[in-house]
Amino acid sequence: MTSPHGSWPSPFSAASVAVSSPRFDGARFVGEEIWWGESVPTEGGRVTVRSSTGREVLQGPWSARSRVHEYGGGAWTADPDGILYFVDARDQRVYRRSGDGDITPLTPEGPAHGGLRWQHGHLLAVREDLTSSPHRRAIVGIPRDGSASDDATAIQVFAEGPSFFAHPALSPDGSRIAWVEWSGERMPWDAAALRIATVDGREAASLPAQAALQPEWIADDALLYADDPSGRWLLHRIQLDGITARGPAEIIAPADADTGYGLWVLGNRWFLPLADGRIVAVRTNGRDRIVVIDADGDVRELDVPCDGHVSVDDVSGSRVLLSGNGSRVSPGVWCVDLDSGEVTAVRGGESVDPAWMPAAQLIDIEGAHGPVHAYAYAPANPDVSAPADELPPYVVLVHGGPTAHVTGAASAAVAFYTSRGIGVLDVNYGGSTGYGRAYRERLRGQWGVVDVDDVIAAARGLADVGLADPARIAIRGGSAGGWTVLSALVRGGAFGAGISRYGVSDLRMLAEDSHDFEAHYIESLVGPLPEAEQLYIDRSPLSSAARIEVPVLLLQGEDDRVVPPSQSAAIRDALAAREIDHEYVLYPGEGHGFRRAETVVDALERELTFLGRVFGFRPQL
């Protein structure tokens, strides 16, 4: 059958997309079982914990979700006896679910918790108290017997202050604890200290590090961690006398790839040591590779289907639990036996049909600031073709962060477009992670310049080689990606329409409203206030909204605390004042990122209908 691009019939409905790819949040070996965290879009995005036996460990209305540092992470863990410890989304207290299903609080009302970790018989967590002035955070040990549920003094505090904390790790003998710490004046991928202290609080020290990640004890006198003084996050090993380094750290199996990522959430792990001295690690250069590093330093790559945003969640003997996504499979959780090579999909991880979801093509476009990396998804539908003389419309996707990256993963959300004859280009503009510090720092002081230059270069590159209709290229992004969308529309000339999901429109407003974690983020991306105030004004899309000449769709969560609704409302009002074609939708009950199935459905259908109206095709929903 022949049909114009954009009007192809597709089995990928918005409703099927909403339920097709739940978000996974860690996995653990628990006795003979495997447990994992999983979002439930049909229950408002509630995060449950499931077992490989088929049972649901954490039933509604309970939801394991943390708000520490606003983005949370590490909202559950478990001990070998099948006791679940989790942070409930509603009150941010830590709870204990016993084997018989009884749920009891372990922490008092008030502070939020996240980054839970069960180690050597102790429950560790990151605590955040936003009721104090200044706000305070801590690395804590939580009694498992419930004695601290109404008595905060029963909680052991290992480190506390106005700084930010992550990745607590207890030494095998239980005498010392290590963690990552950074001040709010810099983001953790710019500068983060590796700290160590005795558990009695008598001694503490900093170990040499630039942007440390994830300390792991490999002996009572040795730590493994990731750091990037070379420009790549590499594994380092340091020998200790108590809390003092015996000498400089040793780099383990260096590579031109990152073992690490921007520390947005507390639960991610990029490597874990095994008891026999081997290390399983993620190496990222755009996409991920998973490697095993032997005790003698030899490296071999694992043949696993996951190659994007992979987390090394747990180890047991020779078995490893991985979660993430893949270029040829759906997101999932896998158990890998390093000795036999057997790979078992515990949850998800189904192979996708290449006729409907061909692997994304990695492309590099030469931009004004150097190569720009992107993944192209061409229109694909085995039952339909377009007229020979018609080029397809494209949607250029801009990821949030901006210190983040995309991996070219198979995605039902992408297939929603490509199966209807609309191409998708997912861009890792300058400033993205996954390509080393130099690429990441292209955006330093240049937010609103480099990212905009790069997405425009990517769009024009598509058109120049005849892959896309230059008059029908749209741009879509959320959060920081929404900022780039609006900024690119202000620049003009490359895009025929824009879709901004909870995007930033006014930098000064963002600086005033920003939460603690990102309070100084804009300073590194643009400049400090008040010195750079004119830059804030000049680069804000709201200041130049009069230059936007193409239709815009604005989608916003009413409860968004990261980018408040005032941002999208301001650009809406500016567009309305000039009678620029626009649509604005405010979703009650949604925060930063849409989680409810009904919201996902409505947003996708609105986007498709909007593009059809603007670009002149009749989509089939």
Side-chain angles (χ1 to χ4, degrees):
M1 181 175 74
T2 301
S3 182
H5 286 289
S7 63
W8 299 354
S10 168
F12 293 92
S13 67
S16 69
V17 171
V19 299
S20 64
S21 298
R23 304 182 186 191
F24 294 104
D25 183 18
R28 302 286 182 273
F29 291 108
V30 182
E32 297 300 314
E33 301 176 24
I34 295 172
W35 292 4
W36 66 90
E38 178 180 329
S39 66
V40 188
T42 56
E43 297 181 31
R46 181 179 76 86
V47 178
T48 185
V49 177
R50 301 190 189 277
S51 166
S52 53
T53 63
R55 69 189 176 99
E56 185 175 32
V57 181
L58 186 63
Q59 298 179 336
W62 301 100
S63 177
R65 188 177 174 195
S66 167
R67 291 199 299 267
V68 169
H69 303 171
E70 196 61 44
Y71 296 103
W76 72 276
T77 190
D79 66 25
D81 297 324
I83 306 300
L84 174 70
Y85 305 94
F86 68 95
V87 178
D88 186 56
R90 294 165 296 185
D91 61 11
Q92 293 298 289
R93 299 172 78 182
V94 178
Y95 289 82
R96 176 183 187 270
R97 183 198 180 278
S98 63
D100 59 10
D102 288 342
I103 295 179
T104 55
L106 299 184
T107 57
E109 296 179 354
H113 299 81
L116 301 188
R117 190 169 197 191
W118 176 264
Q119 269 199 317
H120 312 307
H122 295 268
L123 179 60
L124 307 176
V126 176
R127 183 177 70 188
E128 182 174 55
D129 185 358
L130 301 183
T131 64
S132 63
S133 181
H135 298 164
R136 296 184 68 79
R137 298 165 192 88
I139 298 287
V140 298
I142 300 171
R144 294 167 291 148
D145 60 4
S147 59
S149 64
D150 57 4
D151 179 12
T153 64
I155 294 174
Q156 184 173 10
V157 178
F158 299 112
E160 186 173 25
S163 296
F164 294 84
F165 301 90
H167 294 149
L170 192 64
S171 64
D173 64 7
S175 67
R176 286 152 298 156
I177 188 167
W179 67 90
V180 169
E181 181 177 339
W182 66 98
S183 82
E185 296 179 356
R186 303 199 57 188
M187 300 306 288
W189 43 85
D190 293 326
L194 178 60
R195 297 279 291 163
I196 185 172
T198 55
V199 295
D200 60 13
R202 294 180 179 178
E203 296 180 280
S206 292
L207 299 174
Q210 180 164 308
L213 288 170
Q214 195 192 329
E216 302 285 350
W217 294 87
I218 50 178
D220 281 326
D221 62 352
L223 269 178
L224 190 67
Y225 63 98
D227 196 14
D228 75 337
S230 68
R232 286 287 201 176
W233 271 304
L234 303 177
L235 290 178
H236 291 67
R237 178 171 54 210
I238 192 165
Q239 301 296 129
L240 301 169
D241 280 325
I243 62 169
T244 304
R246 288 185 195 167
E250 171 193 6
I251 296 177
I252 306 298
D256 187 20
D258 287 318
T259 297
Y261 183 65
L263 191 51
W264 289 99
V265 298
L266 296 175
N268 289 345
R269 299 197 178 279
W270 299 276
F271 62 91
L272 280 177
L274 278 69
D276 61 10
R278 290 180 291 180
I279 302 166
V280 178
V282 179
R283 286 181 171 177
T284 305
N285 191 39
R287 285 189 170 123
D288 294 347
R289 297 164 51 233
I290 316 304
V291 300
V292 179
I293 305 170
D294 292 334
D296 60 6
D298 288 343
V299 179
R300 65 182 175 91
E301 185 172 350
L302 289 178
D303 184 11
V304 294
C306 47
D307 59 9
H309 295 308
V310 178
S311 179
V312 184
D313 290 321
D314 203 2
V315 296
S316 177
S318 64
R319 297 184 301 157
V320 180
L321 287 178
L322 306 174
S323 61
N325 57 46
S327 52
R328 298 180 185 275
V329 295
S330 63
V333 177
W334 294 266
C335 181
V336 183
D337 191 304
L338 302 185
D339 291 342
S340 69
E342 181 181 9
V343 179
T344 304
V346 180
R347 175 68 166 171
E350 298 92 355
S351 296
V352 300
D353 185 346
W356 288 99
M357 300 173 70
Q361 178 187 359
L362 174 61
I363 63 173
D364 290 330
I365 301 111
E366 193 59 37
H369 311 279
V372 181
H373 309 297
Y375 294 96
Y377 301 81
N381 186 318
D383 300 329
V384 191
S385 59
D389 61 349
E390 184 191 18
L391 288 172
Y394 257 78
V395 177
V396 173
L397 300 183
V398 191
H399 65 70
T403 311
H405 74 280
V406 293
T407 64
S411 164
V414 169
F416 178 78
Y417 288 104
T418 56
S419 62
R420 288 173 166 80
I422 304 167
V424 171
L425 184 70
D426 217 351
V427 183
N428 279 323
Y429 50 86
S432 300
T433 52
Y435 301 95
R437 181 178 278 265
Y439 195 80
R440 197 167 73 239
E441 291 189 343
R442 280 190 195 177
L443 209 58
R444 181 174 292 279
Q446 296 297 309
W447 196 32
V449 179
V450 168
D451 51 322
V452 175
D453 288 344
D454 285 358
V455 296
I456 289 175
R460 288 177 174 163
L462 277 178
D464 289 345
V465 297
L467 292 178
D469 181 346
R472 296 194 296 171
I473 301 178
I475 182 169
R476 176 193 135 182
S479 190
W483 151 274
T484 304
V485 166
L486 298 172
S487 299
L489 297 183
V490 165
R491 184 86 63 87
F495 301 103
I499 301 171
S500 172
R501 291 183 169 207
Y502 36 89
V504 176
S505 65
D506 186 330
L507 285 178
R508 289 183 298 173
M509 191 186 303
L510 181 66
E512 291 172 2
D513 294 337
S514 190
H515 55 97
D516 280 10
F517 179 73
E518 296 183 75
H520 296 276
Y521 191 18
I522 309 175
E523 293 181 8
S524 66
L525 296 172
V526 181
L529 287 173
E531 297 88 343
E533 183 172 11
Q534 192 58 48
L535 267 182
Y536 281 53
I537 296 170
D538 293 343
R539 290 194 194 165
S540 293
L542 186 61
S543 301
S544 303
R547 293 164 60 184
I548 297 177
E549 300 289 347
V550 300
V552 184
L553 174 61
L554 303 166
L555 305 174
Q556 176 71 46
E558 188 176 38
D559 298 337
D560 195 334
R561 297 191 299 181
V562 177
V563 181
S566 55
Q567 291 272 344
S568 58
I571 201 76
R572 173 203 63 194
D573 294 344
L575 295 172
R578 295 187 58 249
E579 298 183 344
I580 297 297
D581 183 356
H582 72 282
E583 299 175 26
Y584 175 79
V585 185
L586 186 66
Y587 293 107
E590 288 287 5
H592 197 66
F594 302 150
R595 297 176 180 273
R596 296 180 175 181
E598 58 269 28
T599 304
V600 174
V601 170
D602 186 78
L604 283 174
E605 291 183 346
R606 283 182 185 273
E607 289 177 358
L608 184 61
T609 302
F610 170 77
L611 292 175
R613 178 173 65 80
V614 174
F615 289 157
F617 58 80
R618 293 184 178 179
Q620 298 188 37
L621 297 177

